[in-house]
Amino acid sequence: MAKTVDISHYDGIVCVSGDGVLVEVLNGLLERDDWEKAIQIPLGAIPAGNGVAKSLLTAAGEPCDVWNATFAIIRGQKQSLDVATVAQGQARFHSILLLCWGYIADVDIESEKFRWMGGFRFEFYSLLRIVWLRQYHGTIAYIPAPGYEETGSPYTGEFDSFSGETSSMLSDTERSWRTSGYSGPLGASLMKDWRVMSGEFILVLLQNIPWATEDFLAAPSAKFSDGYLDLVVLRNCPKWALLKLVLQMQKGTHIKSKYVQYLKVKAFRMTPGARTKGSVQGGYIDVDGEVIARGIGAEGDGSSDTMVYGPTIDISIQQGLATMFSP
């Protein structure tokens, strides 16, 4: 609907939903031929389990509920919001919430089969995944924000071998998927500006706004329109410490743990790999609650996934591209 609607008739688009519908509307607007005009229309979020509404209302000191969200939209005040573009070959997916790989993605996606439990399914499956903890091989790289230049290791060509791999693994449909619309921020950075982490990972989380859900303060320092993504990395962590971290995520104090690396980045690149043990060839790349790529042996039918698990995935950020109704 967002891709085809005549936006000249409307002052805004309001989603009564979780974050998924809001993200679909965003992608529809950015897939239009007139995306530069379309993306200027303000978006509103009335929460039915919504991290974007939670972030906007909490930042204004307001409780996250339907009444406050509705009143904020009626008042018509606006807030610019960064938009991240996830890319692999010609495939694109635009994000305003998060990208996760590892523990959080596993819980988010695989707990779907316990939806009959209601919200308790997340607590139940979080504990299950701690007991049978998974780790994944992989490499991530990023352009650090000022103040984080000494994190990770200098880039030494880790991604050079992947330059032609992505296009060869994507189908013809995927290669021709985007013929119009917004393709992401322009410009490139020298590879000497990048930093790298390689090895085994429990969790990699890129967050655009503070709250991932209404009860998960994933990135307390995240800003709506600063041109950066907040990166949370968890690697070597005992199970007892991970349980403590999960409990701390409601208040955002998990970022103070010695097991967590928390930094801001301008751009991000990853090559996700297989689980460290077992026959499953990989996990899930979860963007705003949608699986865009999954490894062989992971749950679900991956035939309709936007991207392929294994080849390099790039994430870039455009400062203040979208506009939200805000308190």
Side-chain angles (χ1 to χ4, degrees):
M1 291 172 65
K3 189 174 181 179
T4 58
V5 68
D6 183 351
I7 58 174
S8 66
H9 295 308
Y10 302 98
D11 299 307
I13 300 176
V14 177
C15 302
V16 186
S17 66
D19 294 296
V21 172
L22 182 61
V23 171
E24 289 296 331
V25 169
L26 174 86
N27 276 271
L29 294 174
L30 290 174
E31 290 173 19
R32 298 166 61 112
D33 291 332
D34 64 344
W35 68 266
E36 291 178 279
K37 178 181 179 181
I39 197 59
Q40 295 178 34
I41 192 169
L43 305 177
I46 296 179
N50 192 301
V52 174
K54 173 70 173 181
S55 295
L56 290 167
L57 289 164
T58 301
E62 300 284 353
C64 180
D65 58 36
V66 169
W67 311 109
N68 284 311
T70 304
F71 186 59
I73 293 167
I74 293 169
R75 291 183 64 212
Q77 300 297 315
K78 301 176 182 68
Q79 164 71 56
S80 60
L81 181 65
D82 294 344
V83 174
T85 298
V86 185
Q88 186 186 70
Q90 295 299 313
R92 298 286 188 276
F93 191 86
H94 304 294
S95 162
I96 52 176
L97 187 63
L98 60 81
L99 176 145
C100 56
W101 171 52
Y103 175 77
I104 290 178
D106 291 350
V107 171
D108 185 26
I109 303 306
E110 295 182 357
S111 67
E112 282 288 330
K113 56 181 172 283
F114 300 106
R115 184 172 282 274
W116 55 269
M117 290 184 173
F120 180 68
R121 68 186 173 104
F122 293 110
E123 287 82 357
F124 169 74
Y125 205 74
S126 294
L127 182 59
L128 205 65
R129 285 274 55 88
I130 292 174
V131 174
W132 287 280
L133 187 61
R134 299 169 179 167
Q135 297 189 60
Y136 296 91
H137 294 288
T139 299
I140 65 173
Y142 54 90
I143 300 176
Y148 298 97
E149 294 89 349
E150 300 305 315
T151 58
S153 304
Y155 177 80
T156 55
E158 285 83 354
F159 290 91
D160 291 352
S161 61
F162 294 97
S163 58
E165 181 177 350
T166 300
S167 60
S168 65
M169 293 187 68
L170 293 174
S171 67
D172 291 338
T173 301
E174 290 166 318
R175 276 196 288 267
S176 61
W177 184 77
R178 178 170 300 280
T179 58
S180 62
Y182 174 68
S183 59
L186 299 176
S189 178
L190 298 174
M191 292 312 296
K192 68 179 181 62
D193 296 331
W194 290 71
R195 306 293 290 182
V196 177
M197 298 182 192
S198 295
E200 298 178 358
F201 296 88
I202 295 173
L203 162 68
V204 173
L205 171 66
L206 272 176
Q207 189 76 22
N208 189 39
I209 56 178
W211 293 84
T213 66
E214 291 183 22
D215 56 3
F216 177 15
L217 182 52
S221 299
K223 307 298 181 185
F224 297 114
S225 186
D226 64 351
Y228 294 103
L229 293 163
D230 286 37
L231 173 62
V232 180
V233 179
L234 181 64
R235 304 184 72 178
N236 300 313
C237 180
K239 293 181 181 180
W240 63 266
L242 179 55
L243 177 59
K244 183 178 179 181
L245 285 174
V246 170
L247 296 175
Q248 292 174 330
M249 287 175 179
Q250 290 186 346
K251 296 183 178 180
T253 55
H254 60 287
I255 66 170
K256 299 178 181 179
S257 170
K258 66 179 180 180
Y259 299 106
V260 174
Q261 291 178 277
Y262 182 63
L263 57 149
K264 287 182 176 288
V265 302
K266 181 64 177 176
F268 183 84
R269 176 174 289 181
M270 66 184 303
T271 52
R275 289 185 201 169
T276 56
K277 297 178 182 179
S279 58
V280 176
Q281 295 302 302
Y284 312 89
I285 305 300
D286 180 349
V287 178
D288 295 359
E290 300 292 330
V291 180
I292 63 166
R294 74 191 76 206
I296 298 173
E299 292 186 12
D301 178 13
S303 61
S304 61
D305 291 349
T306 305
M307 301 177 191
V308 178
Y309 189 95
T312 301
I313 294 174
D314 291 289
I315 301 95
S316 53
I317 189 84
Q318 180 65 54
Q319 185 173 4
L321 181 63
T323 302
M324 299 292 303
F325 288 115
S326 176

